[in-house]
Amino acid sequence: MNVTPARVALVPDRWLLLAACLLAPAGLLITRAVSLEDTPRGLDGDVLRQAAYLAASLAAMTAVSRLDYRLLRTLAPQIFALALLALLVVLVLGSHQYGARRWIGVGGFTVQPSEFAKLAVVIAGAAFAADREPGGRTAFASLALFGATIALVVVEPDLGTGIVLGLAWVAIATTWGVSWRFVGTLAVLGLSLFPLTLAVAVPDYQRERLAVFLDPGRDPLGSGFTLRQVEVAFGTGGLTGRGFGGASSALEGVATRTSDFAFAQLGEFAGAAGTIAVIALFAVIAWRGYGVAARAPDRFGRLLATGLTTVIVLQAAMHIAVNLRLFPATGIPLPFISAGGSALLVTFVAVGVLESIAAHRLPGPRESGRAFPG
Amino acid sequence: MTGARWSPPLLRLRLLAATTVLLLALLALQALRLQVFDPLVPPTVRNGVARVIPIEAPRGLITDRNGTVLARNVPRYSVLLVPGYLPADPIARQELFMRVEQVIHVASADLQRAATTGLALIDAYAPVTVRDGISNDDAITMRAALAGVPGVSVGTSAARAYERTGALAHILGYVASLPAERAEALLTQGYSLDSRIGLAGVETQYEQALRGTPGRRLVLADPGGRVLRDVGEEPPTPGANIVLSIDLRLQRAVEAALQRGIANGLAVVRRNTGQQRPAPTPAGAAVVVDVHSGELLALVSLPSYDPNLFDGSASGDAIGQILSDPARPLVDRTYMETHAPGSIFKPLVAVAALEEGVATPNTHIFSNGALTVRDEYRPDVFYTFRDWTVHGDLDLNRAIARSSDVYFYQLAGGYSENGRELFHGLGPERLARWARAAGFGKATGLDLPGEAAGLVPDPAWKLRTTGDPWVLGDTYTFGIGQGYFTASPLQMALLAAAIANGGDVLVPRVVRGLDAGGGVAPAPARVAEQLPVSAANLAVVQRGMASAAAMADGTAATGVPNGVAIAGKTGTAEFGQAYPDGQYDTHGWYIAYAPLDHPQIAIAVYLEYGVGQTHAGPVAKEILQGYFALPNGTTTPNRAAR
């Protein structure tokens, strides 16, 4: 299947790009406001570093969007093998932070392989399914592909990323055409396995977090206090927020306030106006991303776009749910916004791939800005 | 296109998109609920600034081994002024100050100044202390009188109060405000600017355990800093109580005995010599250690100081006086300083000589009061190494009992006449090796900060440090515990304990254990070094020390308590500037263990000025009598198996 696009626009999907580019500066503002509390003047290292990550990520996105996404289909096995290897390396050599082994040092940087694994497993899953018809056996095989990755991520432990990848499989399988019965059975099975997984595979600290989530008063280690701080941060943020001016924050002393609690920090600084805007922008990404999938020229493109959109948006939903105290605290960054180079780069590369798929999309009956054909 | 529009893959994608957007919408609702409709923070304090305020944990107590509290927390009252709450009107404010002046006896001008400091301009709700160190009774009266006065109140904070008797300052240490040079690092470790931190002794060594874990309060304050509402609290975890191995009753007895010994020992200082000599400092130290566990039952260094002075309540003069005192009361002489131990080192030389085959119990040496040796390079020059008296013929037992210098010169360095070796000695290398094996020349591992290692010299060290080669005379003085060799009273007590317990040089400790509420499980004894000595050879040395104590003309007889047999050894070490007649001032030393047959404790006594037999011995006697007079069963010397 070799479809030549009608024309390659400079920005194949401008709504998608716009949403991504509106979200990213919020992360810089948060990092800057937090650093202002400590160093009242000038830009400190954290802000400059995050700005450099952002610039690199934008460059990577632009480059990737110019490439033909079908290249990924041929490289899928290699990409997947590399990602699994990196996950194994991090388990053996990784450095501990906040009670988990998620990072490896490369030169002066620390890299979080589970971020790259998200991308790799979606590419591999899409490439696998594109060549095969959805049936019981093939569905199981693709599930195994995801399952291996999820297992490695969960033992780090990074339960949040594991759940996001599980949902990405559900989305890809659904679009692929796996029967509802199969997906539904697995969903029920997954939900019933969840408590068991918690009991067996989940480390004490995460179980403790769950217990704290259910009863913030009981916490001996301070997570309950952190949850209280998060609630107060949202509360003092109110409708319009307290601004990014560097005044003292309710999240003072929370080490992960620019990463795992970025949404709460945003809620304090930018208020409900900011949080609703961020959620709306992720809704735009969901709508346009699944739209790119709907109009993709081939099955690989469609499944890839579905998986990438799901990974970005559901990770965001998970982060927001954790911050809003709807889900137990698992350290998961907010795409585009949380501080951290690996996550930012991976997210923008995913957007670049979506743009590349969009560049090859089937012409609709009317040349319109609508996401879905028809 | 209706067919394509609702084809299975497209239908499923629309479903995915719709579900995801619905999920996000639900999240948006929850965000609105937490931020606008049902926030944890009521709208009235919405403008409040959130602040995290640390809550200090109650500091753990320090008790002696019997539970007597030596360091406890007491409330400390002070009058606080919060400028932000004072009347804004200058006249009303002045009236208020006049009224307050009547109550707290602080001039209204001073109150005015306190209300307009630079800090008050930045943070009007930061309390300023205008009067500190108020007694309990005054605090009650003032509190009543100040009720209803805005901006002035009596505040309570925790202060530390220490047992004043027993010269415990060096052991306990003290707490004080964060030292400026470490403040920045400490702030990142969870200390706050008004935290207190242990800066000496057990207070600093066990800071983490004593401190506990501070809690936190989450409050909303108005922009000026006034607390509007508490919105969260994480309670602190109190610090653990620390049980010392020290017995306060024994510690007091040792202090009294040492005080007398120091006063008596000063008699060695000769006055009116016509020389310019530094004024003698009345100082000394004494150590009592359990020979099986290494627990220190008493550890006294004099002069001592009052640790209560460092809590910020004392005047600068009182602290200045301590800092400038020529007797340096802050120095713990039991372990922070080392000196030549003199003859109390001889038992170790005897152990080495026996083990190395240099001597047997029957090695006879004649002391005619001095040993004369020819200079190695100039044959016409002779050096004389004096003994303290003419002893005549000595075997090893008697040499220890009478503390003959000539005998030990020869064990250490040998003796040759006209190029013919009459006695082959240990030599400096072997002597240094045995000294190190007994734990000298390095810290003992005591659980207090600032331990001095002492010095074990050898030829390589001397050449490196002074540029001069080692000579026979260096070996001779080393053999009697003088010259370059130095040790702390603690190290000497551990040597006595090792001789008593079969050769184990123990790691001493002053803390018996931490008590987080369930009692104390004393840690097992730790052995730092094991002297490689046979039981038979050790018994020879033990008998020598027993003879020194028991024989009528034994030098250590002055230290024997009534009714208990002991093993003892005296030491008198020259130091400082020579008098015109070539004599020196001396340190007086005494080591012992008791009872002789089933040893429980070992002791070391050190007098900065004194003679071992005359001055240190009687101190040891008093200490031992103090120990054996303790009511039975209340002290609990650790009998843990070795």
Side-chain angles (χ1 to χ4, degrees), chain A residues 174 177-178 180 222 225 228-229 231-232 234-236 238 248 250 267 272 275-276 279 283 290 294 302 306 313 324 373, chain B residues 9-10 12-14 16-17 20 23-24 27-28 30-32 34-36 40 46 49-50 52 216 218 220 231 234:
Chain A
T174 304
V178 174
W180 287 115
F225 190 77
R228 198 22 90 89
Q229 286 179 283
E231 285 180 33
V232 171
F234 280 121
T236 51
S248 82
T275 52
I276 300 296
I279 293 174
Y290 289 127
R302 172 173 298 160
T306 305
V313 178
L324 290 173
Chain B
L10 287 194
R12 287 177 169 212
L13 273 171
R14 278 171 192 279
L16 270 182
T20 309
L23 175 66
L24 289 171
L27 292 177
Q30 168 76 350
L32 279 174
L34 278 185
Q35 298 207 259
V36 183
L40 182 79
R46 186 71 62 72
V49 178
V52 178
R216 294 180 289 177
L218 184 61
L220 290 169
V231 283
E234 181 182 42

Short mmCIF file of all heavy atoms in Angstrom, two decimals, chain A residues 174 177-178 180 222 225 228-229 231-232 234-236 238 248 250 267 272 275-276 279 283 290 294 302 306 313 324 373, chain B residues 9-10 12-14 16-17 20 23-24 27-28 30-32 34-36 40 46 49-50 52 216 218 220 231 234:
data_model
loop_
_atom_site.label_atom_id
_atom_site.label_comp_id
_atom_site.label_asym_id
_atom_site.label_seq_id
_atom_site.Cartn_x
_atom_site.Cartn_y
_atom_site.Cartn_z
N THR A 174 -8.68 -2.36 20.00
CA THR A 174 -10.03 -1.95 19.62
C THR A 174 -10.05 -1.46 18.18
O THR A 174 -10.89 -1.88 17.38
CB THR A 174 -10.50 -0.80 20.55
OG1 THR A 174 -10.40 -1.25 21.89
CG2 THR A 174 -11.94 -0.42 20.25
N GLY A 177 -9.55 -4.14 15.56
CA GLY A 177 -10.73 -4.91 15.25
C GLY A 177 -10.87 -6.17 16.09
O GLY A 177 -11.65 -7.06 15.76
N VAL A 178 -10.10 -6.26 17.14
CA VAL A 178 -10.25 -7.40 18.05
C VAL A 178 -11.67 -7.36 18.62
O VAL A 178 -12.19 -6.29 18.93
CB VAL A 178 -9.21 -7.33 19.18
CG1 VAL A 178 -9.45 -8.41 20.21
CG2 VAL A 178 -7.80 -7.44 18.61
N TRP A 180 -15.06 -7.34 20.61
CA TRP A 180 -15.40 -6.70 21.88
C TRP A 180 -15.34 -7.70 23.02
O TRP A 180 -14.99 -7.34 24.14
CB TRP A 180 -16.81 -6.09 21.81
CG TRP A 180 -16.88 -4.86 20.96
CD1 TRP A 180 -17.55 -4.71 19.79
CD2 TRP A 180 -16.23 -3.61 21.21
NE1 TRP A 180 -17.39 -3.45 19.29
CE2 TRP A 180 -16.58 -2.75 20.14
CE3 TRP A 180 -15.40 -3.12 22.21
CZ2 TRP A 180 -16.12 -1.43 20.06
CZ3 TRP A 180 -14.96 -1.82 22.13
CH2 TRP A 180 -15.30 -0.99 21.06
N GLY A 222 4.47 10.84 55.71
CA GLY A 222 4.35 12.18 55.17
C GLY A 222 3.58 12.27 53.87
O GLY A 222 3.30 13.35 53.39
N PHE A 225 0.38 14.04 54.42
CA PHE A 225 0.61 15.47 54.52
C PHE A 225 0.74 16.06 53.11
O PHE A 225 0.20 17.13 52.84
CB PHE A 225 1.87 15.72 55.33
CG PHE A 225 2.09 17.16 55.71
CD1 PHE A 225 1.37 17.73 56.74
CD2 PHE A 225 3.01 17.92 55.02
CE1 PHE A 225 1.57 19.06 57.09
CE2 PHE A 225 3.22 19.25 55.37
CZ PHE A 225 2.50 19.81 56.40
N ARG A 228 -2.55 16.44 51.61
CA ARG A 228 -3.20 17.60 52.20
C ARG A 228 -2.68 18.89 51.53
O ARG A 228 -3.44 19.79 51.18
CB ARG A 228 -2.89 17.59 53.70
CG ARG A 228 -3.75 18.42 54.65
CD ARG A 228 -5.06 18.74 54.11
NE ARG A 228 -6.12 17.79 54.39
CZ ARG A 228 -6.90 17.83 55.45
NH1 ARG A 228 -6.72 18.72 56.39
NH2 ARG A 228 -7.88 16.97 55.58
N GLN A 229 -1.37 18.91 51.33
CA GLN A 229 -0.78 20.08 50.67
C GLN A 229 -1.36 20.26 49.27
O GLN A 229 -1.63 21.38 48.84
CB GLN A 229 0.75 19.91 50.57
CG GLN A 229 1.46 20.09 51.89
CD GLN A 229 2.96 19.88 51.73
OE1 GLN A 229 3.42 18.76 51.63
NE2 GLN A 229 3.71 20.96 51.69
N GLU A 231 -4.33 19.31 48.20
CA GLU A 231 -5.69 19.83 48.27
C GLU A 231 -5.69 21.33 48.56
O GLU A 231 -6.48 22.08 47.99
CB GLU A 231 -6.48 19.10 49.37
CG GLU A 231 -6.88 17.70 48.96
CD GLU A 231 -7.66 17.00 50.06
OE1 GLU A 231 -8.39 17.69 50.78
OE2 GLU A 231 -7.52 15.78 50.19
N VAL A 232 -4.78 21.72 49.47
CA VAL A 232 -4.72 23.14 49.80
C VAL A 232 -4.24 23.94 48.58
O VAL A 232 -4.71 25.05 48.32
CB VAL A 232 -3.80 23.37 51.02
CG1 VAL A 232 -3.56 24.85 51.23
CG2 VAL A 232 -4.42 22.75 52.25
N PHE A 234 -4.79 23.29 45.43
CA PHE A 234 -5.93 23.50 44.54
C PHE A 234 -6.87 24.56 45.12
O PHE A 234 -7.36 25.43 44.41
CB PHE A 234 -6.69 22.19 44.33
CG PHE A 234 -6.06 21.28 43.33
CD1 PHE A 234 -5.65 20.00 43.67
CD2 PHE A 234 -5.89 21.70 42.01
CE1 PHE A 234 -5.08 19.16 42.73
CE2 PHE A 234 -5.31 20.86 41.07
CZ PHE A 234 -4.90 19.59 41.43
N GLY A 235 -7.09 24.46 46.44
CA GLY A 235 -8.01 25.37 47.09
C GLY A 235 -7.56 26.82 47.01
O GLY A 235 -8.33 27.71 46.66
N THR A 236 -6.30 27.06 47.34
CA THR A 236 -5.83 28.45 47.33
C THR A 236 -5.71 28.97 45.89
O THR A 236 -5.73 30.17 45.68
CB THR A 236 -4.46 28.60 48.02
OG1 THR A 236 -3.58 27.64 47.47
CG2 THR A 236 -4.57 28.39 49.52
N GLY A 238 -7.98 28.55 43.63
CA GLY A 238 -9.29 29.13 43.33
C GLY A 238 -9.57 29.18 41.84
O GLY A 238 -9.14 28.30 41.08
N SER A 248 5.13 32.05 48.22
CA SER A 248 5.28 30.74 48.84
C SER A 248 4.08 29.87 48.46
O SER A 248 2.98 30.34 48.28
CB SER A 248 5.40 30.86 50.36
OG SER A 248 4.13 30.98 50.92
N ALA A 250 1.75 26.14 48.76
CA ALA A 250 1.30 25.09 49.68
C ALA A 250 2.10 23.81 49.48
O ALA A 250 2.14 22.96 50.35
CB ALA A 250 -0.18 24.82 49.48
N GLY A 267 -2.51 24.20 39.36
CA GLY A 267 -3.79 24.60 39.93
C GLY A 267 -3.63 25.73 40.93
O GLY A 267 -4.49 26.61 41.04
N ALA A 272 -8.42 27.41 38.57
CA ALA A 272 -9.27 26.53 37.77
C ALA A 272 -9.19 26.93 36.31
O ALA A 272 -9.26 26.07 35.42
CB ALA A 272 -10.71 26.61 38.28
N THR A 275 -6.25 24.99 35.02
CA THR A 275 -6.40 23.53 34.98
C THR A 275 -7.43 23.12 33.93
O THR A 275 -7.23 22.15 33.20
CB THR A 275 -6.82 22.97 36.36
OG1 THR A 275 -7.96 23.69 36.83
CG2 THR A 275 -5.70 23.11 37.37
N ILE A 276 -8.53 23.89 33.82
CA ILE A 276 -9.55 23.54 32.82
C ILE A 276 -8.97 23.73 31.42
O ILE A 276 -9.18 22.90 30.52
CB ILE A 276 -10.81 24.43 33.00
CG1 ILE A 276 -11.42 24.21 34.39
CG2 ILE A 276 -11.84 24.12 31.90
CD1 ILE A 276 -11.93 22.83 34.66
N ILE A 279 -6.81 20.74 30.63
CA ILE A 279 -7.62 19.56 30.33
C ILE A 279 -8.24 19.70 28.94
O ILE A 279 -8.26 18.76 28.14
CB ILE A 279 -8.71 19.36 31.42
CG1 ILE A 279 -8.04 19.00 32.74
CG2 ILE A 279 -9.69 18.26 31.00
CD1 ILE A 279 -8.99 18.93 33.92
N ALA A 283 -7.96 17.40 25.57
CA ALA A 283 -9.14 16.92 24.82
C ALA A 283 -8.95 17.19 23.33
O ALA A 283 -9.28 16.35 22.49
CB ALA A 283 -10.40 17.59 25.36
N TYR A 290 -6.99 11.00 17.45
CA TYR A 290 -7.80 9.88 16.96
C TYR A 290 -8.30 10.19 15.56
O TYR A 290 -8.51 9.28 14.74
CB TYR A 290 -8.95 9.59 17.91
CG TYR A 290 -8.49 8.96 19.23
CD1 TYR A 290 -8.85 9.49 20.46
CD2 TYR A 290 -7.68 7.82 19.21
CE1 TYR A 290 -8.43 8.92 21.65
CE2 TYR A 290 -7.24 7.24 20.40
CZ TYR A 290 -7.62 7.80 21.62
OH TYR A 290 -7.19 7.24 22.78
N ALA A 294 -8.08 8.03 12.18
CA ALA A 294 -9.24 7.71 11.34
C ALA A 294 -8.93 7.93 9.87
O ALA A 294 -9.43 7.22 9.00
CB ALA A 294 -10.44 8.55 11.77
N ARG A 302 -2.82 3.95 11.13
CA ARG A 302 -4.01 4.11 11.97
C ARG A 302 -3.74 3.60 13.40
O ARG A 302 -4.05 4.28 14.38
CB ARG A 302 -5.17 3.33 11.35
CG ARG A 302 -6.40 3.26 12.24
CD ARG A 302 -7.54 2.62 11.52
NE ARG A 302 -7.91 3.43 10.35
CZ ARG A 302 -8.59 2.97 9.32
NH1 ARG A 302 -8.99 1.73 9.29
NH2 ARG A 302 -8.89 3.76 8.31
N THR A 306 -3.36 5.78 16.84
CA THR A 306 -4.23 5.45 17.97
C THR A 306 -3.40 5.25 19.24
O THR A 306 -3.70 5.81 20.31
CB THR A 306 -5.01 4.15 17.68
OG1 THR A 306 -5.72 4.31 16.45
CG2 THR A 306 -5.99 3.85 18.80
N VAL A 313 -2.56 11.10 25.95
CA VAL A 313 -3.75 11.64 26.62
C VAL A 313 -4.07 10.86 27.89
O VAL A 313 -4.39 11.46 28.92
CB VAL A 313 -4.96 11.64 25.66
CG1 VAL A 313 -6.19 12.14 26.38
CG2 VAL A 313 -4.66 12.51 24.45
N LEU A 324 -5.74 15.02 41.44
CA LEU A 324 -7.06 15.41 41.95
C LEU A 324 -7.56 14.41 42.99
O LEU A 324 -8.70 14.44 43.37
CB LEU A 324 -8.06 15.50 40.79
CG LEU A 324 -7.85 16.67 39.83
CD1 LEU A 324 -8.80 16.56 38.65
CD2 LEU A 324 -8.08 18.00 40.54
N PRO A 373 -13.14 11.80 9.12
CA PRO A 373 -13.70 11.88 7.77
C PRO A 373 -15.21 11.88 7.86
O PRO A 373 -15.79 11.34 8.79
CB PRO A 373 -13.17 10.61 7.08
CG PRO A 373 -12.82 9.68 8.19
CD PRO A 373 -12.44 10.52 9.35
N PRO B 9 -13.72 0.18 11.96
CA PRO B 9 -12.59 0.86 12.57
C PRO B 9 -12.91 2.33 12.90
O PRO B 9 -12.55 2.82 13.97
CB PRO B 9 -11.49 0.80 11.50
CG PRO B 9 -11.96 -0.16 10.48
CD PRO B 9 -13.44 -0.27 10.61
N LEU B 10 -13.61 2.98 12.03
CA LEU B 10 -13.92 4.38 12.28
C LEU B 10 -14.88 4.53 13.44
O LEU B 10 -14.74 5.40 14.30
CB LEU B 10 -14.50 5.02 11.03
CG LEU B 10 -13.48 5.27 9.90
CD1 LEU B 10 -14.07 6.19 8.86
CD2 LEU B 10 -12.20 5.88 10.48
N ARG B 12 -15.13 2.56 15.91
CA ARG B 12 -14.39 2.29 17.15
C ARG B 12 -13.52 3.48 17.53
O ARG B 12 -13.38 3.81 18.70
CB ARG B 12 -13.55 1.04 16.97
CG ARG B 12 -14.43 -0.21 16.96
CD ARG B 12 -13.65 -1.46 16.72
NE ARG B 12 -14.49 -2.62 16.99
CZ ARG B 12 -14.00 -3.77 17.45
NH1 ARG B 12 -12.74 -3.90 17.69
NH2 ARG B 12 -14.82 -4.77 17.67
N LEU B 13 -12.92 4.14 16.52
CA LEU B 13 -12.09 5.31 16.83
C LEU B 13 -12.94 6.44 17.40
O LEU B 13 -12.54 7.13 18.32
CB LEU B 13 -11.37 5.78 15.57
CG LEU B 13 -10.03 5.08 15.32
CD1 LEU B 13 -9.48 5.44 13.96
CD2 LEU B 13 -9.04 5.45 16.43
N ARG B 14 -14.12 6.63 16.82
CA ARG B 14 -15.02 7.66 17.35
C ARG B 14 -15.37 7.35 18.81
O ARG B 14 -15.42 8.25 19.65
CB ARG B 14 -16.31 7.71 16.53
CG ARG B 14 -16.18 8.52 15.27
CD ARG B 14 -17.43 8.34 14.42
NE ARG B 14 -17.21 8.89 13.08
CZ ARG B 14 -17.31 10.19 12.80
NH1 ARG B 14 -17.67 11.03 13.74
NH2 ARG B 14 -17.08 10.62 11.58
N LEU B 16 -13.55 5.64 20.91
CA LEU B 16 -12.35 5.91 21.73
C LEU B 16 -12.25 7.39 22.03
O LEU B 16 -12.04 7.81 23.17
CB LEU B 16 -11.10 5.48 20.97
CG LEU B 16 -10.59 4.06 21.16
CD1 LEU B 16 -9.32 3.88 20.35
CD2 LEU B 16 -10.30 3.82 22.64
N ALA B 17 -12.38 8.20 20.96
CA ALA B 17 -12.24 9.64 21.12
C ALA B 17 -13.30 10.16 22.10
O ALA B 17 -13.00 10.94 23.01
CB ALA B 17 -12.36 10.33 19.77
N THR B 20 -12.57 9.12 25.71
CA THR B 20 -11.45 9.86 26.28
C THR B 20 -11.87 11.28 26.64
O THR B 20 -11.57 11.78 27.73
CB THR B 20 -10.30 9.91 25.25
OG1 THR B 20 -10.05 8.58 24.80
CG2 THR B 20 -9.06 10.47 25.88
N LEU B 23 -13.90 11.22 29.72
CA LEU B 23 -13.05 11.03 30.89
C LEU B 23 -12.42 12.37 31.30
O LEU B 23 -12.40 12.74 32.48
CB LEU B 23 -11.96 10.00 30.56
CG LEU B 23 -10.90 9.75 31.63
CD1 LEU B 23 -11.54 9.12 32.86
CD2 LEU B 23 -9.80 8.85 31.09
N LEU B 24 -11.91 13.09 30.30
CA LEU B 24 -11.29 14.39 30.59
C LEU B 24 -12.32 15.37 31.17
O LEU B 24 -12.01 16.16 32.06
CB LEU B 24 -10.64 14.96 29.33
CG LEU B 24 -9.38 14.20 28.87
CD1 LEU B 24 -8.92 14.69 27.51
CD2 LEU B 24 -8.26 14.37 29.89
N LEU B 27 -12.67 14.72 34.76
CA LEU B 27 -11.53 15.27 35.49
C LEU B 27 -11.70 16.78 35.66
O LEU B 27 -11.40 17.34 36.72
CB LEU B 27 -10.22 14.96 34.75
CG LEU B 27 -9.82 13.49 34.73
CD1 LEU B 27 -8.55 13.30 33.92
CD2 LEU B 27 -9.62 12.97 36.15
N ALA B 28 -12.20 17.42 34.61
CA ALA B 28 -12.40 18.87 34.69
C ALA B 28 -13.41 19.20 35.78
O ALA B 28 -13.24 20.17 36.53
CB ALA B 28 -12.86 19.40 33.34
N GLN B 30 -13.98 17.47 38.49
CA GLN B 30 -13.34 17.29 39.80
C GLN B 30 -12.41 18.48 40.10
O GLN B 30 -12.33 18.96 41.22
CB GLN B 30 -12.56 15.97 39.84
CG GLN B 30 -11.63 15.80 41.02
CD GLN B 30 -12.35 15.47 42.31
OE1 GLN B 30 -13.57 15.54 42.39
NE2 GLN B 30 -11.59 15.14 43.34
N ALA B 31 -11.73 18.97 39.05
CA ALA B 31 -10.85 20.12 39.24
C ALA B 31 -11.68 21.32 39.69
O ALA B 31 -11.30 22.04 40.63
CB ALA B 31 -10.10 20.44 37.95
N LEU B 32 -12.80 21.51 39.05
CA LEU B 32 -13.67 22.63 39.44
C LEU B 32 -14.17 22.46 40.87
O LEU B 32 -14.26 23.42 41.63
CB LEU B 32 -14.88 22.72 38.49
CG LEU B 32 -14.60 23.41 37.15
CD1 LEU B 32 -15.82 23.29 36.25
CD2 LEU B 32 -14.25 24.87 37.38
N LEU B 34 -12.67 20.84 43.39
CA LEU B 34 -11.60 21.09 44.37
C LEU B 34 -11.17 22.55 44.41
O LEU B 34 -10.67 23.03 45.40
CB LEU B 34 -10.37 20.23 44.04
CG LEU B 34 -10.38 18.78 44.50
CD1 LEU B 34 -9.05 18.13 44.20
CD2 LEU B 34 -10.66 18.71 46.01
N GLN B 35 -11.36 23.24 43.28
CA GLN B 35 -10.82 24.60 43.24
C GLN B 35 -11.87 25.66 43.48
O GLN B 35 -11.58 26.71 44.02
CB GLN B 35 -10.16 24.85 41.88
CG GLN B 35 -8.99 23.91 41.66
CD GLN B 35 -7.95 24.50 40.73
OE1 GLN B 35 -7.90 24.16 39.58
NE2 GLN B 35 -7.13 25.38 41.26
N VAL B 36 -13.10 25.38 43.04
CA VAL B 36 -14.09 26.46 43.09
C VAL B 36 -15.30 26.10 43.93
O VAL B 36 -15.66 26.82 44.86
CB VAL B 36 -14.55 26.84 41.66
CG1 VAL B 36 -15.52 28.01 41.72
CG2 VAL B 36 -13.34 27.17 40.79
N LEU B 40 -11.09 22.76 49.84
CA LEU B 40 -10.75 22.46 51.22
C LEU B 40 -10.61 23.76 52.00
O LEU B 40 -10.88 23.83 53.19
CB LEU B 40 -9.42 21.69 51.25
CG LEU B 40 -8.95 21.26 52.61
CD1 LEU B 40 -9.72 20.02 53.03
CD2 LEU B 40 -7.47 20.98 52.60
N ARG B 46 -9.34 32.40 51.32
CA ARG B 46 -8.82 32.05 50.01
C ARG B 46 -7.56 32.85 49.68
O ARG B 46 -6.66 32.38 49.00
CB ARG B 46 -9.91 32.27 48.97
CG ARG B 46 -9.57 31.82 47.58
CD ARG B 46 -9.52 30.31 47.49
NE ARG B 46 -10.80 29.69 47.78
CZ ARG B 46 -11.86 29.73 46.97
NH1 ARG B 46 -11.81 30.38 45.85
NH2 ARG B 46 -12.96 29.12 47.29
N VAL B 49 -1.95 32.80 52.28
CA VAL B 49 -0.75 32.22 51.69
C VAL B 49 -0.47 30.94 52.46
O VAL B 49 -0.46 30.95 53.69
CB VAL B 49 0.44 33.18 51.82
CG1 VAL B 49 1.69 32.56 51.25
CG2 VAL B 49 0.12 34.50 51.14
N ALA B 50 -0.28 29.86 51.73
CA ALA B 50 0.01 28.60 52.41
C ALA B 50 1.45 28.60 52.91
O ALA B 50 2.35 29.08 52.22
CB ALA B 50 -0.23 27.44 51.46
N VAL B 52 4.33 26.14 55.20
CA VAL B 52 4.66 24.92 55.92
C VAL B 52 5.55 25.32 57.09
O VAL B 52 6.61 25.91 56.90
CB VAL B 52 5.37 23.91 55.01
CG1 VAL B 52 5.74 22.67 55.80
CG2 VAL B 52 4.48 23.54 53.84
N ARG B 216 5.30 18.77 60.79
CA ARG B 216 5.04 19.96 59.99
C ARG B 216 3.60 20.40 60.19
O ARG B 216 2.71 19.57 60.43
CB ARG B 216 5.26 19.65 58.51
CG ARG B 216 6.69 19.33 58.17
CD ARG B 216 6.85 19.03 56.71
NE ARG B 216 6.25 17.74 56.35
CZ ARG B 216 6.21 17.28 55.11
NH1 ARG B 216 6.70 17.99 54.13
NH2 ARG B 216 5.67 16.11 54.86
N LEU B 218 0.69 22.72 58.22
CA LEU B 218 0.35 23.45 57.01
C LEU B 218 -0.67 24.50 57.43
O LEU B 218 -1.72 24.16 57.96
CB LEU B 218 -0.22 22.50 55.97
CG LEU B 218 -0.55 23.09 54.61
CD1 LEU B 218 0.70 23.65 53.95
CD2 LEU B 218 -1.17 22.03 53.71
N LEU B 220 -2.59 28.48 56.66
CA LEU B 220 -2.85 29.59 55.74
C LEU B 220 -2.64 30.85 56.53
O LEU B 220 -3.18 31.00 57.64
CB LEU B 220 -4.28 29.52 55.20
CG LEU B 220 -4.50 28.35 54.25
CD1 LEU B 220 -5.98 28.17 53.97
CD2 LEU B 220 -3.75 28.60 52.95
N VAL B 231 -4.46 23.97 58.34
CA VAL B 231 -5.13 23.09 57.40
C VAL B 231 -4.53 21.70 57.34
O VAL B 231 -5.03 20.84 56.63
CB VAL B 231 -5.18 23.70 55.98
CG1 VAL B 231 -6.25 24.76 55.89
CG2 VAL B 231 -3.84 24.24 55.58
N GLU B 234 1.33 17.18 60.49
CA GLU B 234 2.01 15.90 60.55
C GLU B 234 2.76 15.92 61.88
O GLU B 234 3.68 16.69 62.05
CB GLU B 234 2.99 15.80 59.38
CG GLU B 234 3.73 14.52 59.32
CD GLU B 234 4.70 14.55 58.15
OE1 GLU B 234 5.36 15.57 57.92
OE2 GLU B 234 4.79 13.54 57.46
#
